């Protein structure tokens, strides 16, 4: 899912086995992302559950991340991985 503008609600989805990022947010967007399963996205050195490059920062809560290739989540240049 790629969001380049607006404030869409992305709620109650299963986003699995994409060859890159599960979700990608560009500047100018501010999606609301709740209660999704984001799993096993990425291939050959790329792929996160969510990459948030939005200048308005998305609202992201209550999601499950599982085995995304690089990391679960990237925001402000910081990747969030499991410990």
């Amino acid at each position: 899912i790629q969001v380049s503008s607006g404030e869409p609600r992305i709620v109650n989805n299963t986003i699995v086995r994409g060859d890159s990022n599960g979700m990608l947010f560009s500047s100018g967007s501010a999606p609301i992302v709740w209660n999704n399963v984001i799993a096993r996205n990425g291939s050959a050195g790329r792929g996160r559950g969510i990459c948030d490059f939005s200048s308005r920062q998305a609202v992201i809560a209550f999601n499950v991340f599982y085995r995304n290739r690089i990391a679960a989540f990237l925001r402000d240049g910081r990747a969030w991985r499991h410990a």
Side-chain angles (χ1 to χ4, degrees):
I1 296 174
Q2 184 170 350
V3 179
S4 56
S5 65
E7 298 177 6
R9 293 175 188 242
I10 303 169
V11 180
N12 297 328
N13 296 284
T14 302
I15 301 153
V16 179
R17 296 188 188 270
D19 68 349
S20 189
N21 301 306
M23 296 185 203
L24 175 63
F25 309 140
S26 302
S27 64
S29 67
I32 297 168
V33 183
W34 279 46
N35 200 37
N36 298 284
V37 175
I38 305 148
R40 298 186 182 267
N41 292 290
S43 63
R46 64 179 187 186
R48 293 171 180 86
I50 297 176
C51 281
D52 181 10
F53 297 113
S54 63
S55 55
R56 298 167 48 199
Q57 293 225 344
V59 176
I60 300 169
F62 310 111
N63 297 285
V64 174
F65 297 89
Y66 180 74
R67 290 197 173 190
N68 292 288
R69 182 89 172 172
I70 301 296
F73 181 52
L74 176 73
R75 176 182 271 171
D76 297 328
R78 183 171 178 199
W80 300 83
R81 297 177 178 84
H82 62 41

